[in-house]
Amino acid sequence: MPSIFILIVGLAAATYIFLLSLLRITQDAREPPSIGNTIPFVTPIWNMISKGVHFHRLMRDGYNLPIYTLRMPGSRIYVINSTPLITSIQSQFRTLSFTAVEASIAANVIGVSKATNGIIGRDVNRDGSYLMSFPKYVHSALSAGPALDAMNRRSIQVITKSLDNWAKEGATTIKLFEWVRHELLLASTEGVYGHKNPFRDTAMEKAWYTFEPSIMMFVLKLMPQVLAREGYAAREYMVKVWEQYFEQASYEQGSELIKTRVKINDDFGIPLKETARIELGGSQAILSNTLPGTFWMIYHIFSNPAVLKDVKAELYRGVREEGDVCTIDLSYVKSSCPILLSTFKEMMRVNSTGSATRIVMEDHLLNGKYLLKKGSTIMIPAMVQHTDRSIWGDNAQEFNHMRFVRQPGGKRTNPVAFRGFGGGTTLCPGRHFASTEILMFSALVVLRFELHPVDGKWTKPRTAKSPLVNALPVPDDDISIVMRSTSDKIWNVSFSGYDRGMEIVAEDIEGGRGH
């Protein structure tokens, strides 16, 4: 018995020495420091699993490094803590590539054919390639202008009509996340897909809710046909629905956005059946963060009386009352409600759990100091930037709905540190569409309804079970709410036109026109 124990201890010691030696031999002295190596190649994985979304924040606080390396079996991850380094990384978008990540997602998550993946993944960093061309195709549809206005108008009309119906119900008990999720799913997809929107079918809506939580299984290639069978079946069901939508040319009655997505595929020789599969990625871009983001916006406004009071007062200043009709203009909400916009950005700052990801295409010396090795992954966790006290102050952990309201003579926070919509080549092109929906829905709910928890107390839900692909987390448990209309008047939204984008991220501020 003692000899077996000694043998086990000896094997463990030998394995440890081997792993430690392997780590030291393969870690270049010019690379960012490798941390979390209690058991080389094993401890980083265990820590990421056990600490969840808080892992990167805890590593920052524990080691205080501008950049560090996590060594995994067969791979490296370089994690960025320093805000100045983010700017440097974003400027090297060919060498430190996001399009390479997109190509991998196309193959693994949406399951395009080998031929289609060859088109999408070809020369990912060359001008004129599919992925480098994609932002140029969709730019006019998602930038401030007629195409974006049309999408916003349609989605807001859907929201307004639905809220009219809810106002007639009297006091109603709802599940807050379930309610918000349904309302925004229909509004968003109507705005993009038009009158033949496939998500009008509740089976399509249910399929999306089944597929989304399993996306990480597809990303990691963990046999989703076996380990995520319901998600796999839901994906294939949605592909069939999208095939019918495109083959019947229903997209021609949709937005300019969906038309441009068809056009780029057609221009690059991708058939409609594959366009149907690619639209799964389009749906994810539209829905995955807009739905939980709207929930958290409503939660933060109504759970804090001070926030609700300030937001409501600001909104009411823009309401025109004529007899029994109240009207608020979209341009007022977008351009004259700094507290509402600040609340929205603070919601994203406090709740964002996503990470911008890039692949190192060739060995690169970042800032002339840190060696990044070819084939490695770069991660820029939003939570690290959003909880940095040197940027946001000692109250960085608190929700302050006035944080982004410009004060006379006040110092502007480095906009690069706000990662709510990513940045550089990972910047969300649909941020203005999503922001307008969330702001307008929140505005109308504040103006027209009161919301009270059934148990009398607002309690922030945990998010430990949220899908890892979401930049904004899904609550583990819903909140039972009594919703009651506060007005018997008719409410309208007017669209006077507004040709400027909102200043949401650094690129909007620097560009001056939200493009």
Side-chain angles (χ1 to χ4, degrees):
M1 188 72 177
S3 59
I4 295 176
F5 175 76
I6 292 172
L7 179 62
I8 292 173
V9 171
L11 285 173
T15 301
Y16 174 78
I17 292 170
F18 170 75
L19 292 176
L20 186 62
S21 300
L22 181 63
L23 175 69
R24 290 176 175 173
I25 292 170
T26 57
Q27 182 77 14
D28 194 297
R30 296 172 296 169
E31 286 185 83
S34 177
I35 68 171
N37 297 312
T38 304
I39 303 176
F41 305 101
V42 176
T43 300
I45 298 174
W46 170 253
N47 285 340
M48 290 182 79
I49 294 172
S50 62
K51 294 177 172 59
V53 297
H54 300 287
F55 169 73
H56 296 299
R57 177 180 59 80
L58 293 171
M59 293 300 100
R60 176 204 62 195
D61 294 344
Y63 291 90
N64 194 31
L65 293 168
I67 179 174
Y68 60 86
T69 306
L70 295 174
R71 294 296 304 273
M72 309 287 191
S75 66
R76 288 168 165 81
I77 298 176
Y78 301 120
V79 181
I80 311 302
N81 289 335
S82 164
T83 305
L85 285 181
I86 294 175
T87 304
S88 300
I89 288 168
Q90 290 179 172
S91 68
Q92 301 293 324
F93 62 91
R94 297 184 195 276
T95 304
L96 311 176
S97 173
F98 174 64
T99 50
V101 178
E102 292 179 294
S104 174
I105 290 173
N108 300 331
V109 177
I110 59 183
V112 296
S113 68
K114 185 176 180 180
T116 298
N117 194 52
I119 295 171
I120 293 174
R122 185 181 302 135
D123 300 323
V124 292
N125 293 312
R126 179 181 59 81
D127 288 336
S129 67
Y130 180 91
L131 289 173
M132 289 294 283
S133 299
F134 189 85
K136 299 173 184 176
Y137 272 77
V138 302
H139 178 80
S140 62
L142 290 171
S143 299
L148 180 60
D149 288 346
M151 282 202 303
N152 285 333
R153 181 189 296 267
R154 178 59 185 156
S155 66
I156 292 169
Q157 287 171 342
V158 172
I159 290 169
T160 303
K161 182 178 179 180
S162 181
L163 293 182
D164 285 344
N165 293 333
W166 282 104
K168 297 172 185 175
E169 294 292 323
T172 307
T173 301
I174 60 170
K175 295 287 188 180
L176 185 59
F177 178 67
E178 181 181 292
W179 177 68
V180 169
R181 181 177 66 172
H182 174 74
E183 296 292 313
L184 267 292
L185 178 135
L186 286 181
S188 301
T189 55
E190 284 286 317
V192 174
Y193 300 120
H195 297 295
K196 294 190 176 181
N197 172 23
F199 283 96
R200 289 184 177 186
D201 187 343
T202 55
M204 189 70 167
E205 181 177 1
K206 181 180 178 181
W208 175 255
Y209 298 150
T210 302
F211 169 65
E212 186 184 32
S214 67
I215 288 177
M216 187 54 69
M217 300 292 288
F218 291 87
V219 171
L220 299 176
K221 297 186 285 188
L222 297 177
M223 297 188 296
Q225 298 97 318
V226 177
L227 300 179
R229 282 179 292 182
E230 291 185 357
Y232 186 87
R235 184 187 77 171
E236 296 308 303
Y237 168 80
M238 288 190 290
V239 168
K240 294 296 182 184
V241 174
W242 283 123
E243 286 179 1
Q244 185 177 17
Y245 176 84
F246 288 111
E247 288 171 355
Q248 295 179 355
S250 299
Y251 65 89
E252 292 179 355
Q253 299 179 38
S255 65
E256 286 302 309
L257 175 61
I258 190 62
K259 292 174 187 175
T260 58
R261 292 212 284 244
V262 173
K263 178 171 173 51
I264 185 174
N265 291 339
D266 186 53
D267 288 351
F268 278 82
I270 295 175
L272 278 179
K273 278 188 174 294
E274 291 294 286
T275 294
R277 213 166 257 287
I278 292 171
E279 196 50 41
L280 290 171
S283 299
Q284 202 229 352
I286 296 165
L287 300 173
S288 63
N289 295 311
T290 298
L291 309 191
T294 310
F295 164 79
W296 291 115
M297 185 71 168
I298 294 295
Y299 170 82
H300 284 294
I301 291 174
F302 281 89
S303 66
N304 189 319
V307 179
L308 180 60
K309 179 182 178 182
D310 289 346
V311 169
K312 183 177 288 189
E314 181 178 69
L315 288 168
Y316 260 109
R317 286 195 290 271
V319 174
R320 302 193 311 272
E321 293 193 47
E322 298 177 1
D324 291 334
V325 179
C326 294
T327 304
I328 188 165
D329 197 272
L330 173 61
S331 65
Y332 176 82
V333 174
K334 292 176 68 175
S335 65
S336 302
C337 293
I339 297 176
L340 181 66
L341 180 60
S342 176
T343 303
F344 168 68
K345 294 177 74 171
E346 181 72 345
M347 175 277 293
M348 298 197 78
R349 187 192 72 84
V350 168
N351 293 287
S352 291
T353 56
S355 292
T357 306
R358 285 172 166 77
I359 301 296
V360 182
M361 304 302 290
E362 59 187 48
D363 284 4
H364 177 73
L365 200 61
L366 181 65
N367 277 16
K369 184 177 181 180
Y370 301 106
L371 175 64
L372 308 182
K373 287 196 170 184
K374 179 180 178 179
S376 301
T377 301
I378 297 172
M379 294 184 69
I380 307 174
M383 184 178 288
V384 167
Q385 296 299 310
H386 292 174
T387 57
D388 190 332
R389 292 187 178 183
S390 69
I391 298 170
W392 306 104
D394 291 337
N395 67 344
Q397 300 291 339
E398 301 172 11
F399 186 93
N400 176 8
H401 69 295
M402 302 293 287
R403 189 183 301 276
F404 292 92
V405 176
R406 294 184 187 177
Q407 303 296 340
K411 182 181 178 182
R412 184 199 290 270
T413 300
N414 184 351
V416 176
F418 178 71
R419 310 298 299 171
F421 285 99
T425 53
T426 64
L427 179 65
C428 173
R431 64 192 179 282
H432 293 294
F433 177 53
S435 301
T436 299
E437 283 189 291
I438 296 173
L439 290 171
M440 201 66 216
F441 179 83
S442 301
L444 290 171
V445 173
V446 167
L447 290 170
R448 301 189 61 179
F449 297 91
E450 57 182 30
L451 305 179
H452 299 287
V454 170
D455 63 6
K457 181 181 179 181
W458 287 97
T459 302
K460 188 174 182 179
R462 292 172 53 83
T463 58
K465 301 175 185 177
S466 179
L468 294 176
V469 295
N470 290 68
L472 287 166
V474 171
D476 291 350
D477 300 300
D478 216 330
I479 305 174
S480 294
I481 296 291
V482 176
M483 180 172 71
R484 181 183 292 104
S485 174
T486 57
S487 171
D488 57 1
K489 294 188 176 184
I490 298 169
W491 282 84
N492 292 329
V493 177
S494 57
F495 303 87
S496 65
Y498 183 61
D499 63 355
R500 295 183 64 241
M502 292 174 285
E503 292 188 354
I504 302 170
V505 296
E507 287 80 355
D508 297 329
I509 296 169
E510 293 161 4
R513 288 185 59 82
H515 291 183

